[in-house]
Amino acid sequence: MDRTGTRRGPLPADIAAKKRLGDLTDPGVERRDCHVEEAILSRRSVRAFLPDPVPAPLLRRLLEVARWAPSGSNIQPWKIHVLTGASQARLSEALFAAMRNKEPREMEYHYYAPVWREPFLARRRACGFGLYGAMGIACEDTAARSAAFARNYAFFDAPAAMLFWIASDLEHGSWMDYGMFIHSLALAARGFGLATIAQGALGAYPHVAHRLFGVGPDFKLIGGMSLGWADPDAPVNAFQPDRLAVDDFTTWLD
Ligand SMILES: Cc1cc2nc3c(=O)[nH]c(=O)nc-3n(C[C@H](O)[C@H](O)[C@H](O)COP(=O)(O)O)c2cc1C
């Protein structure tokens, strides 16, 4: 490699990528000119979507791209349900019913540590304040906060959603792999101007999705993702949580 980072010839992966690109499903939607940095920086969790449907070939295309995410020993631990139309409506209705009937809401894994401590507690609170603030909901208004949270079960009106399942016997490493898959999906979506939100909340009331979609205990429900085009006028989408500075979490060793 020379000083400008230019290689003399293409790497095998570059050649393979060209072929893989040619093999992808035609999404029926124009691909944007979107650098990977722009895709990462513009991926923000969206909580209000326009009703415009996401074409099925585009959803397939996102999965065709995300499946190239890395995984330890290439075991590819993902199992996905794509929901639109009737299946999405059925899950939404069943989740709201489970909430109304006060059915058990335990997820099939622990997303967070059992006890909140600093510095994570303060960051979580800042996230909550920011989110509810953007919606004009006062912190002490628990009814409004619950109603806002329940929007998760309406997929924030997104026209498409996915559920993420993982084999029950897999360990931390495979869950880490899954995170890469989910982020790959979200970034591939940006390439078409699509917005997404990963939703642990869709992993609550897991018995509902197990029952509706006939999935046995050999799989756990991680959660899901809503996908669609962001509503630019929705106040909730103005919420843009910040990040730590690089030097707040990095130690440079020589
Ligand atoms: C795996 C995962 C699960 C999440 N679950 C939810 C959720 O259930 N509901 C929700 O409103 N946001 C959820 N989020 C979004 C986070 O709140 C969001 O990523 C975080 O506040 C940073 O904001 P940003 O994604 O807009 O950068 C989730 C994010 C991830 C990565």
Side-chain angles (χ1 to χ4, degrees):
M1 194 184 296
D2 69 20
R3 280 166 174 227
T4 62
T6 311
R7 286 190 172 266
R8 283 202 194 88
L11 289 169
D14 297 326
I15 297 164
K18 282 221 160 58
K19 154 106 179 61
R20 287 171 197 157
L21 261 172
D23 289 344
L24 295 174
T25 295
D26 178 353
V29 173
E30 204 183 324
R31 201 175 68 170
R32 300 190 316 161
D33 185 10
C34 181
H35 191 281
V36 65
E37 287 186 344
E38 197 191 324
I40 293 171
L41 296 176
S42 70
R43 185 222 52 82
R44 299 271 67 83
S45 298
V46 156
R47 295 180 180 82
F49 290 87
L50 298 173
D52 311 51
V54 183
L58 176 51
L59 293 169
R60 171 169 290 279
R61 166 101 171 209
L62 301 182
L63 290 165
E64 285 174 349
V65 173
R67 77 196 165 109
W68 290 99
S71 59
S73 300
N74 199 25
I75 72 167
Q76 305 165 70
W78 22 89
K79 171 181 167 68
I80 311 294
H81 278 155
V82 178
L83 312 179
T84 55
S87 59
Q88 202 184 349
R90 272 202 304 148
L91 178 59
S92 179
E93 280 158 26
L95 288 173
F96 277 107
M99 194 176 68
R100 273 195 311 276
N101 300 336
K102 300 195 172 18
E103 289 175 25
R105 197 175 135 183
E106 289 103 55
M107 295 171 83
E108 295 185 284
Y109 63 102
H110 299 290
Y111 196 111
Y112 297 109
V115 178
W116 281 94
R117 65 163 174 87
E118 297 302 343
F120 308 113
L121 179 59
R123 292 178 198 159
R124 182 193 196 211
R125 284 203 173 120
C127 184
F129 290 153
L131 182 57
Y132 294 119
M135 289 186 276
I137 296 173
C139 290
E140 57 280 6
D141 190 347
T142 45
R145 283 170 55 172
S146 310
F149 181 80
R151 298 286 303 144
N152 273 287
Y153 305 137
F155 307 100
F156 301 107
D157 294 334
M162 294 187 190
L163 290 182
F164 303 135
W165 302 90
I166 188 166
S168 298
D169 55 343
L170 292 183
E171 288 289 353
H172 289 73
S174 301
W175 288 69
M176 202 157 70
D177 300 337
Y178 225 117
M180 300 200 207
F181 180 89
I182 293 170
H183 198 210
S184 299
L185 257 182
L187 297 184
R190 292 308 301 145
F192 294 94
L194 266 186
T196 56
I197 179 167
Q199 290 171 268
L202 292 177
Y205 307 113
H207 60 283
V208 170
H210 275 278
R211 187 189 67 227
L212 274 185
F213 304 123
V215 179
D218 44 336
F219 283 90
K220 286 183 183 170
L221 180 60
I222 295 178
M225 174 179 272
S226 295
L227 308 95
W229 278 273
D231 179 349
D233 301 322
V236 67
N237 287 341
F239 173 56
Q240 298 288 303
D242 208 351
R243 294 295 193 271
L244 299 175
V246 167
D247 290 315
D248 290 338
F249 61 84
T250 308
T251 305
W252 303 89
L253 304 171
D254 53 27

